[in-house]
Amino acid sequence: MSTLRSLRDQTALLPGGRVLGYDDLGPADAPVVLYFHGVPGSRRDAGVWSAARAAEKAGVRVVAVDRPGCGASTFVRGRRVTDWPADVIALADRLKIERFAVLGWSGGAPYALACGAQPYDRVLRVGVVSGVGRLDQPEMRIGLNPTTGRFFRLNHERPRIGRLLDWSMALGARRGPQRLLTQSRAALPEPDRDVLLDPDAGAAYVAAISECFRSGTRGGQLDTSLAVGTWGFEPEQVTTPVLVWHGRLDVNAPVAVAERLARRLPAATLSVHDGEGHLSVLCTHAVRILADLTAAASRG
């Protein structure tokens, strides 16, 4: 019988002395999915989609990781999206995980894709859920929520002002969480509003933002800027099979972004869900998504 784990607030020491923060959830001896959070976010946003419960149901071990400068992970000045796979491999080595899948939600999507663009046979599959695109893509601008668009543009194009906006969000998460939730719900379609009405999901959403900026705003600002800026690789370079899930009602990353991405990837399967938004598609289908991502490992 598998041993369930719920190891939260863990840190792993990387070569060079940096640390990565992570939560380790699900059966200890099960196939592994490394989960990459959204922006602004941290490992805590795995709680929005009840990752621990979904991991148990799917029979999958989920390791939710903070990127550098977010949550408990050490800030790295001048880092790039393409630097992330090396950190992922170092973490996998530290946790004695040989092969694994990766899952990027929202702003975590380019970081997941970067892992699939590297010559690592250890990455079995890449999952992209509600993935953002680059701001220079027209698909990213058509149907994008104005509030989300402003957040992306300021963090990418005007970082000092972006950090002020981030500071305001962090303050709201800590001192006025209900107001922050109300403001967030107002800018989202009904399926996503329903997600944030759930007390546990709403609390995880607020906690993810607060945790993102626990050491200041520079890490979260850079993380967002990289997600919607130049990734340093093209989708055509992603040789690992990619599973793409997207909600048709998504206003934080319009569905046209996912359709364009799937066309450009060499080996992609696209699943567009009517009646789902940016948050709800992962919350609704988390067990199936984890199972699909680890199917290759199960066959192996």
Side-chain angles (χ1 to χ4, degrees):
M1 183 176 179
S2 297
T3 301
L4 294 177
R5 62 175 64 201
S6 183
L7 303 177
R8 301 179 190 270
D9 302 326
Q10 304 295 300
T11 57
L13 184 65
L14 302 186
R18 289 191 293 117
V19 300
L20 288 183
Y22 69 94
D23 289 344
D24 195 346
L25 312 167
D29 55 353
V32 178
V33 173
L34 298 185
Y35 169 71
F36 307 151
H37 58 76
V39 296
S42 65
R43 68 192 184 282
R44 295 289 194 215
D45 71 28
V48 174
W49 53 278
S50 302
R53 188 181 312 142
E56 181 178 355
K57 289 183 178 179
V60 173
R61 178 182 173 190
V62 174
V63 180
V65 193
D66 288 329
R67 289 189 290 277
C70 301
S73 292
T74 308
F75 176 73
V76 178
R77 186 183 303 276
R79 71 176 176 91
R80 302 162 298 175
V81 173
T82 50
D83 295 328
W84 180 238
D87 282 357
V88 169
I89 293 298
L91 176 64
D93 288 344
R94 177 72 173 77
L95 299 180
K96 296 181 171 57
I97 299 169
E98 181 58 31
R99 305 188 77 194
F100 51 89
V102 296
L103 171 59
W105 172 70
S106 186
Y111 295 95
L113 291 166
C115 293
Q118 300 299 316
Y120 301 140
D121 62 1
R122 296 171 66 177
V123 180
L124 295 167
R125 285 188 181 180
V126 174
V128 170
V129 181
S130 307
V132 302
R134 292 167 20 181
L135 282 178
D136 60 3
Q137 296 175 347
E139 291 87 352
M140 188 63 180
R141 298 191 296 270
I142 300 171
L144 181 65
N145 181 303
T147 301
T148 302
R150 177 173 175 265
F151 169 77
F152 286 153
R153 286 192 301 274
L154 289 178
N155 275 278
H156 182 58
E157 299 169 4
R158 306 185 69 181
R160 289 187 180 181
I161 298 178
R163 286 194 288 272
L164 287 175
L165 176 61
D166 296 341
W167 176 84
S168 177
M169 293 179 66
L171 188 66
R174 290 164 189 160
R175 297 188 180 180
Q178 287 306 313
R179 183 180 179 184
L180 176 62
L181 281 171
T182 299
Q183 292 172 338
S184 298
R185 286 196 297 263
L188 293 170
E190 184 175 359
D192 291 338
R193 292 198 301 268
D194 290 344
V195 168
L196 294 183
L197 283 172
D198 177 84
D200 291 338
Y205 177 85
V206 171
I209 294 174
S210 179
E211 179 69 4
C212 175
F213 302 119
R214 67 183 285 186
S215 300
T217 58
R218 60 179 183 169
Q221 178 271 316
L222 177 58
D223 194 50
T224 299
S225 178
L226 292 173
V228 298
T230 300
W231 295 350
F233 66 94
E234 298 299 331
E236 288 81 2
Q237 296 173 255
V238 180
T239 55
T240 305
V242 182
L243 306 182
V244 182
W245 293 269
H246 217 92
R248 195 172 295 280
L249 302 182
D250 196 331
V251 296
N252 286 353
V255 67
V257 173
E259 293 169 341
R260 173 188 170 117
L261 175 66
R263 287 194 301 268
R264 297 185 63 190
L265 289 165
T269 302
L270 172 65
S271 299
V272 176
H273 296 267
D274 296 332
E276 300 285 7
H278 193 69
L279 300 167
S280 68
V281 66
L282 181 52
C283 294
T284 302
H285 302 283
V287 175
R288 175 63 184 274
I289 287 170
L290 293 177
D292 285 354
L293 281 174
T294 55
S298 299
R299 287 198 300 269

